[in-house]
Amino acid sequence: MLMLARTAALGAGKVRTWQLPPEPTAVARARKMAVGQLAAWGLAEAEFTTELIVSELVTNAVRYGGSPSNCA
C-alpha cells in the first residue's frame, strides 16, 4: 500500500515517512503517529483536523488500495 499526503503549508523539513501494514489496525496507529509528530513540531492546534484527514486517507488506502506491485 502506498499513500502520499503533502501540504504546501509546511516546509521540506516537516516531512515524515511511515510504513504501515495494510490492515485496519493501521488507522489508529497512523492517527497516533501523526498527532505525536504534530506535537513535536509545535502544531498541536491542528490535531483534530489532522486526525480526521489521516483516518479517512488511511482507511481508504487499506480498504481500496492494492499491493505496490499492482500500482503501475
Side-chain angles (χ1 to χ4, degrees):
M1 169 175 70
L2 173 66
M3 181 180 71
L4 173 69
R6 182 181 170 137
T7 176
L10 300 175
K14 290 196 164 83
V15 173
R16 292 298 172 261
T17 302
W18 297 303
Q19 291 188 0
L20 299 167
E23 56 194 37
T25 58
V27 179
R29 185 173 166 203
R31 280 194 313 261
K32 184 175 181 178
M33 290 189 303
V35 167
Q37 190 61 66
L38 288 173
W41 285 337
L43 298 171
E45 71 277 0
E47 285 181 8
F48 179 75
T49 303
T50 301
E51 280 188 285
L52 292 174
I53 293 168
V54 167
S55 290
E56 186 69 18
L57 290 173
V58 176
T59 297
N60 286 340
V62 168
R63 183 176 292 162
Y64 303 112
S67 67
S69 61
N70 291 338
C71 301

Short mmCIF file of all heavy atoms in Angstrom, two decimals:
data_model
loop_
_atom_site.label_atom_id
_atom_site.label_comp_id
_atom_site.label_asym_id
_atom_site.label_seq_id
_atom_site.Cartn_x
_atom_site.Cartn_y
_atom_site.Cartn_z
N MET A 1 0.85 -1.16 0.00
CA MET A 1 0.00 0.00 0.00
C MET A 1 0.90 1.23 0.00
O MET A 1 1.82 1.32 0.80
CB MET A 1 -0.89 -0.03 1.25
CG MET A 1 -1.63 1.23 1.50
SD MET A 1 -2.77 1.14 2.91
CE MET A 1 -1.68 1.06 4.28
N LEU A 2 0.65 2.15 -0.88
CA LEU A 2 1.40 3.40 -0.95
C LEU A 2 0.41 4.54 -0.88
O LEU A 2 -0.58 4.57 -1.61
CB LEU A 2 2.19 3.48 -2.24
CG LEU A 2 2.89 4.81 -2.52
CD1 LEU A 2 3.99 5.05 -1.49
CD2 LEU A 2 3.46 4.82 -3.91
N MET A 3 0.68 5.47 0.04
CA MET A 3 -0.17 6.63 0.17
C MET A 3 0.74 7.83 0.38
O MET A 3 1.72 7.75 1.10
CB MET A 3 -1.09 6.48 1.38
CG MET A 3 -2.01 7.66 1.55
SD MET A 3 -3.09 7.47 2.97
CE MET A 3 -1.94 7.69 4.30
N LEU A 4 0.43 8.91 -0.28
CA LEU A 4 1.21 10.13 -0.16
C LEU A 4 0.27 11.28 0.15
O LEU A 4 -0.76 11.44 -0.49
CB LEU A 4 1.94 10.41 -1.47
CG LEU A 4 2.68 11.73 -1.59
CD1 LEU A 4 3.89 11.73 -0.66
CD2 LEU A 4 3.14 11.93 -3.01
N ALA A 5 0.62 12.04 1.16
CA ALA A 5 -0.15 13.24 1.52
C ALA A 5 0.85 14.35 1.75
O ALA A 5 1.85 14.16 2.44
CB ALA A 5 -0.97 12.99 2.77
N ARG A 6 0.60 15.50 1.17
CA ARG A 6 1.52 16.62 1.32
C ARG A 6 0.73 17.92 1.36
O ARG A 6 -0.28 18.07 0.69
CB ARG A 6 2.49 16.64 0.16
CG ARG A 6 3.49 17.77 0.30
CD ARG A 6 4.43 17.81 -0.86
NE ARG A 6 5.18 19.04 -0.76
CZ ARG A 6 6.46 19.12 -0.96
NH1 ARG A 6 7.14 18.07 -1.32
NH2 ARG A 6 7.08 20.26 -0.85
N THR A 7 1.26 18.85 2.11
CA THR A 7 0.68 20.18 2.16
C THR A 7 1.74 21.20 1.81
O THR A 7 2.90 21.04 2.18
CB THR A 7 0.08 20.49 3.55
OG1 THR A 7 -0.39 21.83 3.56
CG2 THR A 7 1.09 20.32 4.65
N ALA A 8 1.37 22.21 1.12
CA ALA A 8 2.32 23.27 0.76
C ALA A 8 2.56 24.22 1.93
O ALA A 8 3.47 25.03 1.90
CB ALA A 8 1.78 24.06 -0.45
N ALA A 9 1.77 24.08 2.98
CA ALA A 9 1.89 24.98 4.14
C ALA A 9 3.11 24.67 5.01
O ALA A 9 3.53 25.51 5.78
CB ALA A 9 0.62 24.90 4.98
N LEU A 10 3.65 23.47 4.87
CA LEU A 10 4.81 23.08 5.68
C LEU A 10 6.04 22.92 4.79
O LEU A 10 5.94 22.44 3.67
CB LEU A 10 4.54 21.76 6.42
CG LEU A 10 3.36 21.78 7.39
CD1 LEU A 10 3.12 20.39 7.95
CD2 LEU A 10 3.58 22.78 8.50
N GLY A 11 7.17 23.30 5.31
CA GLY A 11 8.41 23.21 4.55
C GLY A 11 8.92 21.78 4.43
O GLY A 11 8.42 20.86 5.07
N ALA A 12 9.96 21.62 3.64
CA ALA A 12 10.53 20.29 3.38
C ALA A 12 11.08 19.64 4.64
O ALA A 12 11.18 18.41 4.72
CB ALA A 12 11.63 20.41 2.33
N GLY A 13 11.42 20.42 5.64
CA GLY A 13 11.91 19.86 6.90
C GLY A 13 10.83 19.21 7.74
O GLY A 13 11.13 18.54 8.72
N LYS A 14 9.60 19.41 7.37
CA LYS A 14 8.47 18.83 8.11
C LYS A 14 7.80 17.76 7.26
O LYS A 14 6.62 17.84 6.93
CB LYS A 14 7.50 19.93 8.53
CG LYS A 14 8.09 20.83 9.60
CD LYS A 14 7.02 21.65 10.28
CE LYS A 14 7.51 22.22 11.56
NZ LYS A 14 8.25 23.41 11.51
N VAL A 15 8.61 16.77 6.91
CA VAL A 15 8.13 15.63 6.13
C VAL A 15 8.49 14.36 6.90
O VAL A 15 9.61 14.23 7.39
CB VAL A 15 8.80 15.60 4.73
CG1 VAL A 15 8.43 14.33 3.99
CG2 VAL A 15 8.41 16.82 3.93
N ARG A 16 7.56 13.45 7.02
CA ARG A 16 7.80 12.18 7.67
C ARG A 16 7.27 11.05 6.81
O ARG A 16 6.26 11.20 6.13
CB ARG A 16 7.13 12.11 9.05
CG ARG A 16 7.73 13.03 10.07
CD ARG A 16 9.20 12.68 10.33
NE ARG A 16 9.83 13.66 11.17
CZ ARG A 16 10.60 14.65 10.74
NH1 ARG A 16 10.83 14.81 9.47
NH2 ARG A 16 11.15 15.50 11.58
N THR A 17 7.96 9.94 6.87
CA THR A 17 7.55 8.74 6.13
C THR A 17 7.37 7.61 7.12
O THR A 17 8.25 7.37 7.95
CB THR A 17 8.63 8.35 5.11
OG1 THR A 17 8.85 9.44 4.22
CG2 THR A 17 8.22 7.13 4.31
N TRP A 18 6.24 6.95 7.03
CA TRP A 18 5.97 5.80 7.88
C TRP A 18 5.47 4.66 7.01
O TRP A 18 4.72 4.88 6.06
CB TRP A 18 4.89 6.11 8.92
CG TRP A 18 5.26 7.18 9.89
CD1 TRP A 18 6.35 7.20 10.72
CD2 TRP A 18 4.55 8.39 10.15
NE1 TRP A 18 6.35 8.34 11.48
CE2 TRP A 18 5.26 9.09 11.15
CE3 TRP A 18 3.39 8.95 9.65
CZ2 TRP A 18 4.84 10.31 11.65
CZ3 TRP A 18 2.97 10.18 10.14
CH2 TRP A 18 3.69 10.84 11.14
N GLN A 19 5.85 3.46 7.37
CA GLN A 19 5.31 2.28 6.70
C GLN A 19 4.28 1.65 7.62
O GLN A 19 4.55 1.41 8.79
CB GLN A 19 6.43 1.28 6.40
CG GLN A 19 7.37 1.79 5.33
CD GLN A 19 8.36 0.73 4.89
OE1 GLN A 19 8.36 -0.39 5.36
NE2 GLN A 19 9.19 1.10 3.95
N LEU A 20 3.12 1.41 7.05
CA LEU A 20 2.02 0.84 7.82
C LEU A 20 1.56 -0.45 7.15
O LEU A 20 1.57 -0.55 5.93
CB LEU A 20 0.84 1.82 7.87
CG LEU A 20 1.12 3.16 8.53
CD1 LEU A 20 0.00 4.14 8.22
CD2 LEU A 20 1.27 2.97 10.03
N PRO A 21 1.13 -1.42 7.94
CA PRO A 21 0.60 -2.65 7.35
C PRO A 21 -0.76 -2.37 6.71
O PRO A 21 -1.50 -1.50 7.19
CB PRO A 21 0.47 -3.59 8.55
CG PRO A 21 0.30 -2.69 9.72
CD PRO A 21 1.09 -1.44 9.41
N PRO A 22 -1.10 -3.09 5.66
CA PRO A 22 -2.40 -2.88 5.01
C PRO A 22 -3.53 -3.59 5.76
O PRO A 22 -4.14 -4.53 5.27
CB PRO A 22 -2.18 -3.48 3.62
CG PRO A 22 -1.14 -4.54 3.83
CD PRO A 22 -0.27 -4.03 4.94
N GLU A 23 -3.76 -3.14 6.99
CA GLU A 23 -4.81 -3.73 7.82
C GLU A 23 -5.49 -2.64 8.62
O GLU A 23 -4.91 -1.57 8.86
CB GLU A 23 -4.21 -4.80 8.74
CG GLU A 23 -3.09 -4.29 9.59
CD GLU A 23 -2.28 -5.40 10.26
OE1 GLU A 23 -2.06 -6.45 9.64
OE2 GLU A 23 -1.88 -5.19 11.40
N PRO A 24 -6.72 -2.88 9.04
CA PRO A 24 -7.50 -1.85 9.74
C PRO A 24 -6.83 -1.27 10.99
O PRO A 24 -7.04 -0.11 11.32
CB PRO A 24 -8.80 -2.57 10.10
CG PRO A 24 -8.93 -3.62 9.04
CD PRO A 24 -7.52 -4.08 8.77
N THR A 25 -6.02 -2.05 11.69
CA THR A 25 -5.36 -1.53 12.89
C THR A 25 -4.38 -0.41 12.57
O THR A 25 -3.99 0.35 13.45
CB THR A 25 -4.62 -2.65 13.64
OG1 THR A 25 -3.65 -3.24 12.76
CG2 THR A 25 -5.58 -3.72 14.13
N ALA A 26 -4.00 -0.29 11.31
CA ALA A 26 -3.06 0.75 10.90
C ALA A 26 -3.66 2.15 11.04
O ALA A 26 -2.93 3.13 11.19
CB ALA A 26 -2.61 0.52 9.46
N VAL A 27 -4.98 2.24 11.00
CA VAL A 27 -5.64 3.55 11.07
C VAL A 27 -5.36 4.23 12.41
O VAL A 27 -4.92 5.38 12.46
CB VAL A 27 -7.16 3.42 10.81
CG1 VAL A 27 -7.84 4.78 10.92
CG2 VAL A 27 -7.42 2.80 9.45
N ALA A 28 -5.58 3.52 13.49
CA ALA A 28 -5.33 4.10 14.82
C ALA A 28 -3.85 4.40 15.01
O ALA A 28 -3.49 5.44 15.59
CB ALA A 28 -5.82 3.14 15.91
N ARG A 29 -3.01 3.52 14.52
CA ARG A 29 -1.56 3.74 14.63
C ARG A 29 -1.15 5.00 13.86
O ARG A 29 -0.35 5.80 14.35
CB ARG A 29 -0.84 2.52 14.09
CG ARG A 29 0.63 2.56 14.25
CD ARG A 29 1.23 1.24 13.84
NE ARG A 29 2.66 1.38 13.67
CZ ARG A 29 3.40 0.60 12.93
NH1 ARG A 29 2.85 -0.42 12.30
NH2 ARG A 29 4.69 0.80 12.83
N ALA A 30 -1.69 5.18 12.67
CA ALA A 30 -1.36 6.36 11.87
C ALA A 30 -1.82 7.64 12.56
O ALA A 30 -1.09 8.64 12.57
CB ALA A 30 -1.99 6.24 10.48
N ARG A 31 -3.01 7.63 13.13
CA ARG A 31 -3.51 8.81 13.86
C ARG A 31 -2.58 9.15 15.01
O ARG A 31 -2.22 10.31 15.21
CB ARG A 31 -4.92 8.56 14.39
CG ARG A 31 -6.01 8.72 13.39
CD ARG A 31 -7.38 8.80 14.05
NE ARG A 31 -7.60 7.78 15.06
CZ ARG A 31 -8.26 6.65 14.86
NH1 ARG A 31 -8.79 6.39 13.69
NH2 ARG A 31 -8.42 5.79 15.84
N LYS A 32 -2.20 8.13 15.77
CA LYS A 32 -1.34 8.35 16.93
C LYS A 32 0.02 8.93 16.50
O LYS A 32 0.54 9.86 17.13
CB LYS A 32 -1.15 7.04 17.68
CG LYS A 32 -0.36 7.18 18.95
CD LYS A 32 -0.30 5.87 19.71
CE LYS A 32 0.49 6.05 21.00
NZ LYS A 32 0.54 4.83 21.78
N MET A 33 0.59 8.39 15.45
CA MET A 33 1.89 8.88 14.98
C MET A 33 1.78 10.31 14.46
O MET A 33 2.66 11.14 14.73
CB MET A 33 2.45 7.96 13.90
CG MET A 33 2.90 6.62 14.43
SD MET A 33 3.79 5.58 13.25
CE MET A 33 2.65 5.45 11.90
N ALA A 34 0.71 10.61 13.75
CA ALA A 34 0.53 11.96 13.20
C ALA A 34 0.36 12.98 14.32
O ALA A 34 0.97 14.06 14.29
CB ALA A 34 -0.67 11.99 12.26
N VAL A 35 -0.44 12.65 15.32
CA VAL A 35 -0.66 13.56 16.44
C VAL A 35 0.65 13.77 17.21
O VAL A 35 0.98 14.89 17.60
CB VAL A 35 -1.79 13.04 17.35
CG1 VAL A 35 -1.82 13.77 18.68
CG2 VAL A 35 -3.13 13.18 16.64
N GLY A 36 1.38 12.70 17.41
CA GLY A 36 2.68 12.82 18.09
C GLY A 36 3.65 13.70 17.32
O GLY A 36 4.38 14.51 17.91
N GLN A 37 3.65 13.56 16.00
CA GLN A 37 4.54 14.38 15.18
C GLN A 37 4.12 15.84 15.21
O GLN A 37 4.96 16.73 15.30
CB GLN A 37 4.56 13.87 13.74
CG GLN A 37 5.63 14.51 12.90
CD GLN A 37 7.02 14.24 13.45
OE1 GLN A 37 7.48 13.12 13.46
NE2 GLN A 37 7.68 15.27 13.91
N LEU A 38 2.84 16.10 15.16
CA LEU A 38 2.37 17.48 15.25
C LEU A 38 2.79 18.12 16.57
O LEU A 38 3.23 19.27 16.61
CB LEU A 38 0.84 17.54 15.11
CG LEU A 38 0.29 17.29 13.72
CD1 LEU A 38 -1.23 17.22 13.77
CD2 LEU A 38 0.74 18.35 12.73
N ALA A 39 2.68 17.36 17.66
CA ALA A 39 3.09 17.88 18.96
C ALA A 39 4.59 18.20 18.96
O ALA A 39 5.01 19.25 19.47
CB ALA A 39 2.77 16.87 20.06
N ALA A 40 5.38 17.32 18.36
CA ALA A 40 6.83 17.55 18.29
C ALA A 40 7.17 18.79 17.48
O ALA A 40 8.16 19.47 17.75
CB ALA A 40 7.52 16.32 17.69
N TRP A 41 6.35 19.09 16.49
CA TRP A 41 6.57 20.27 15.65
C TRP A 41 5.91 21.52 16.24
O TRP A 41 5.98 22.59 15.64
CB TRP A 41 6.01 20.03 14.26
CG TRP A 41 6.84 19.12 13.40
CD1 TRP A 41 8.16 18.83 13.52
CD2 TRP A 41 6.37 18.39 12.28
NE1 TRP A 41 8.55 17.96 12.54
CE2 TRP A 41 7.46 17.67 11.75
CE3 TRP A 41 5.13 18.26 11.65
CZ2 TRP A 41 7.36 16.85 10.64
CZ3 TRP A 41 5.02 17.44 10.55
CH2 TRP A 41 6.14 16.74 10.04
N GLY A 42 5.23 21.40 17.35
CA GLY A 42 4.55 22.55 17.94
C GLY A 42 3.28 22.93 17.20
O GLY A 42 2.88 24.09 17.20
N LEU A 43 2.63 21.95 16.60
CA LEU A 43 1.42 22.21 15.81
C LEU A 43 0.20 21.50 16.41
O LEU A 43 -0.68 21.03 15.69
CB LEU A 43 1.63 21.75 14.36
CG LEU A 43 2.74 22.46 13.59
CD1 LEU A 43 3.00 21.78 12.26
CD2 LEU A 43 2.35 23.92 13.37
N ALA A 44 0.14 21.44 17.72
CA ALA A 44 -0.94 20.73 18.40
C ALA A 44 -2.33 21.26 18.03
O ALA A 44 -3.31 20.53 18.07
CB ALA A 44 -0.74 20.77 19.91
N GLU A 45 -2.41 22.52 17.64
CA GLU A 45 -3.71 23.10 17.30
C GLU A 45 -4.32 22.44 16.05
O GLU A 45 -5.52 22.56 15.80
CB GLU A 45 -3.61 24.62 17.10
CG GLU A 45 -2.87 25.05 15.85
CD GLU A 45 -1.35 25.09 15.97
OE1 GLU A 45 -0.81 24.79 17.04
OE2 GLU A 45 -0.70 25.43 14.98
N ALA A 46 -3.52 21.73 15.29
CA ALA A 46 -4.00 21.06 14.07
C ALA A 46 -4.36 19.59 14.30
O ALA A 46 -4.70 18.89 13.36
CB ALA A 46 -2.96 21.18 12.97
N GLU A 47 -4.31 19.14 15.55
CA GLU A 47 -4.52 17.72 15.84
C GLU A 47 -5.88 17.20 15.39
O GLU A 47 -5.96 16.17 14.74
CB GLU A 47 -4.33 17.43 17.32
CG GLU A 47 -2.89 17.43 17.75
CD GLU A 47 -2.73 17.11 19.24
OE1 GLU A 47 -3.73 16.75 19.91
OE2 GLU A 47 -1.60 17.25 19.72
N PHE A 48 -6.95 17.88 15.76
CA PHE A 48 -8.29 17.38 15.46
C PHE A 48 -8.50 17.18 13.96
O PHE A 48 -8.91 16.11 13.50
CB PHE A 48 -9.36 18.31 16.03
CG PHE A 48 -10.76 17.85 15.75
CD1 PHE A 48 -11.31 16.78 16.43
CD2 PHE A 48 -11.52 18.47 14.77
CE1 PHE A 48 -12.60 16.35 16.16
CE2 PHE A 48 -12.81 18.05 14.49
CZ PHE A 48 -13.34 16.98 15.19
N THR A 49 -8.19 18.21 13.20
CA THR A 49 -8.37 18.14 11.75
C THR A 49 -7.46 17.08 11.14
O THR A 49 -7.89 16.31 10.27
CB THR A 49 -8.07 19.51 11.11
OG1 THR A 49 -8.93 20.48 11.69
CG2 THR A 49 -8.28 19.49 9.62
N THR A 50 -6.23 17.03 11.61
CA THR A 50 -5.28 16.05 11.08
C THR A 50 -5.74 14.63 11.36
O THR A 50 -5.65 13.76 10.49
CB THR A 50 -3.88 16.29 11.67
OG1 THR A 50 -3.46 17.60 11.31
CG2 THR A 50 -2.88 15.28 11.15
N GLU A 51 -6.26 14.38 12.55
CA GLU A 51 -6.76 13.05 12.87
C GLU A 51 -7.88 12.63 11.93
O GLU A 51 -7.92 11.48 11.47
CB GLU A 51 -7.26 12.99 14.32
CG GLU A 51 -6.18 12.82 15.33
CD GLU A 51 -6.72 12.58 16.71
OE1 GLU A 51 -7.20 13.54 17.33
OE2 GLU A 51 -6.66 11.42 17.17
N LEU A 52 -8.78 13.55 11.62
CA LEU A 52 -9.87 13.23 10.69
C LEU A 52 -9.33 12.91 9.30
O LEU A 52 -9.75 11.93 8.67
CB LEU A 52 -10.85 14.41 10.60
CG LEU A 52 -11.68 14.69 11.84
CD1 LEU A 52 -12.50 15.96 11.63
CD2 LEU A 52 -12.58 13.52 12.16
N ILE A 53 -8.41 13.73 8.82
CA ILE A 53 -7.85 13.52 7.48
C ILE A 53 -7.07 12.21 7.42
O ILE A 53 -7.23 11.42 6.48
CB ILE A 53 -6.96 14.72 7.09
CG1 ILE A 53 -7.82 15.96 6.92
CG2 ILE A 53 -6.16 14.42 5.82
CD1 ILE A 53 -7.04 17.26 6.82
N VAL A 54 -6.22 11.97 8.42
CA VAL A 54 -5.42 10.74 8.44
C VAL A 54 -6.33 9.52 8.50
O VAL A 54 -6.12 8.54 7.79
CB VAL A 54 -4.42 10.76 9.62
CG1 VAL A 54 -3.81 9.38 9.86
CG2 VAL A 54 -3.32 11.78 9.35
N SER A 55 -7.37 9.58 9.32
CA SER A 55 -8.30 8.46 9.41
C SER A 55 -8.92 8.14 8.06
O SER A 55 -8.98 6.98 7.65
CB SER A 55 -9.42 8.76 10.41
OG SER A 55 -8.94 8.76 11.72
N GLU A 56 -9.37 9.16 7.38
CA GLU A 56 -10.01 8.96 6.08
C GLU A 56 -9.03 8.42 5.04
O GLU A 56 -9.32 7.47 4.32
CB GLU A 56 -10.62 10.28 5.60
CG GLU A 56 -11.44 10.17 4.34
CD GLU A 56 -12.75 9.41 4.54
OE1 GLU A 56 -13.20 9.26 5.67
OE2 GLU A 56 -13.32 8.99 3.52
N LEU A 57 -7.85 9.02 4.97
CA LEU A 57 -6.86 8.60 3.98
C LEU A 57 -6.38 7.17 4.21
O LEU A 57 -6.32 6.36 3.28
CB LEU A 57 -5.66 9.54 3.99
CG LEU A 57 -5.91 10.94 3.43
CD1 LEU A 57 -4.67 11.82 3.66
CD2 LEU A 57 -6.27 10.89 1.96
N VAL A 58 -6.05 6.84 5.45
CA VAL A 58 -5.54 5.50 5.74
C VAL A 58 -6.65 4.46 5.61
O VAL A 58 -6.42 3.37 5.06
CB VAL A 58 -4.86 5.45 7.12
CG1 VAL A 58 -4.41 4.04 7.45
CG2 VAL A 58 -3.66 6.40 7.15
N THR A 59 -7.85 4.78 6.06
CA THR A 59 -8.97 3.84 5.90
C THR A 59 -9.19 3.53 4.43
O THR A 59 -9.35 2.36 4.05
CB THR A 59 -10.26 4.41 6.53
OG1 THR A 59 -10.04 4.57 7.93
CG2 THR A 59 -11.44 3.49 6.29
N ASN A 60 -9.22 4.56 3.59
CA ASN A 60 -9.42 4.33 2.16
C ASN A 60 -8.27 3.55 1.53
O ASN A 60 -8.48 2.70 0.66
CB ASN A 60 -9.64 5.65 1.43
CG ASN A 60 -11.00 6.23 1.69
OD1 ASN A 60 -11.93 5.53 2.09
ND2 ASN A 60 -11.15 7.53 1.49
N ALA A 61 -7.05 3.84 1.96
CA ALA A 61 -5.89 3.12 1.42
C ALA A 61 -5.96 1.64 1.80
O ALA A 61 -5.69 0.77 0.97
CB ALA A 61 -4.60 3.74 1.94
N VAL A 62 -6.34 1.35 3.04
CA VAL A 62 -6.46 -0.04 3.48
C VAL A 62 -7.61 -0.72 2.74
O VAL A 62 -7.47 -1.85 2.27
CB VAL A 62 -6.67 -0.12 5.01
CG1 VAL A 62 -7.08 -1.51 5.45
CG2 VAL A 62 -5.40 0.31 5.74
N ARG A 63 -8.72 -0.05 2.64
CA ARG A 63 -9.92 -0.65 2.04
C ARG A 63 -9.80 -0.85 0.53
O ARG A 63 -10.18 -1.90 0.00
CB ARG A 63 -11.14 0.22 2.35
CG ARG A 63 -12.44 -0.39 1.83
CD ARG A 63 -13.63 0.42 2.22
NE ARG A 63 -13.81 0.32 3.67
CZ ARG A 63 -14.53 1.16 4.39
NH1 ARG A 63 -15.13 2.17 3.82
NH2 ARG A 63 -14.64 1.00 5.69
N TYR A 64 -9.27 0.15 -0.17
CA TYR A 64 -9.30 0.12 -1.63
C TYR A 64 -7.93 -0.03 -2.29
O TYR A 64 -7.85 -0.26 -3.50
CB TYR A 64 -9.96 1.39 -2.17
CG TYR A 64 -11.35 1.59 -1.63
CD1 TYR A 64 -11.64 2.64 -0.76
CD2 TYR A 64 -12.38 0.72 -1.97
CE1 TYR A 64 -12.92 2.81 -0.26
CE2 TYR A 64 -13.66 0.89 -1.48
CZ TYR A 64 -13.92 1.95 -0.62
OH TYR A 64 -15.18 2.12 -0.12
N GLY A 65 -6.86 0.12 -1.51
CA GLY A 65 -5.53 0.06 -2.08
C GLY A 65 -5.10 -1.36 -2.38
O GLY A 65 -5.65 -2.33 -1.86
N GLY A 66 -4.12 -1.47 -3.22
CA GLY A 66 -3.56 -2.77 -3.55
C GLY A 66 -2.11 -2.81 -3.13
O GLY A 66 -1.57 -1.87 -2.58
N SER A 67 -1.48 -3.91 -3.45
CA SER A 67 -0.06 -4.04 -3.15
C SER A 67 0.73 -3.14 -4.10
O SER A 67 0.25 -2.78 -5.17
CB SER A 67 0.38 -5.48 -3.31
OG SER A 67 0.29 -5.87 -4.66
N PRO A 68 1.96 -2.76 -3.73
CA PRO A 68 2.75 -1.89 -4.60
C PRO A 68 2.94 -2.46 -6.00
O PRO A 68 3.03 -1.73 -6.96
CB PRO A 68 4.10 -1.78 -3.87
CG PRO A 68 3.75 -1.99 -2.43
CD PRO A 68 2.62 -3.00 -2.46
N SER A 69 2.94 -3.77 -6.14
CA SER A 69 3.09 -4.37 -7.47
C SER A 69 1.88 -4.12 -8.35
O SER A 69 1.96 -4.17 -9.57
CB SER A 69 3.33 -5.87 -7.35
OG SER A 69 2.23 -6.49 -6.73
N ASN A 70 0.72 -3.80 -7.73
CA ASN A 70 -0.49 -3.50 -8.50
C ASN A 70 -0.57 -2.04 -8.93
O ASN A 70 -1.46 -1.66 -9.67
CB ASN A 70 -1.74 -3.84 -7.67
CG ASN A 70 -1.90 -5.32 -7.46
OD1 ASN A 70 -1.37 -6.12 -8.20
ND2 ASN A 70 -2.63 -5.68 -6.43
N CYS A 71 0.34 -1.22 -8.43
CA CYS A 71 0.31 0.21 -8.74
C CYS A 71 1.36 0.49 -9.80
O CYS A 71 2.55 0.57 -9.50
CB CYS A 71 0.61 1.03 -7.46
SG CYS A 71 -0.56 0.71 -6.13
N ALA A 72 0.94 0.63 -11.00
CA ALA A 72 1.90 0.89 -12.08
C ALA A 72 1.73 2.28 -12.63
O ALA A 72 0.75 2.90 -12.55
CB ALA A 72 1.72 -0.14 -13.19
#
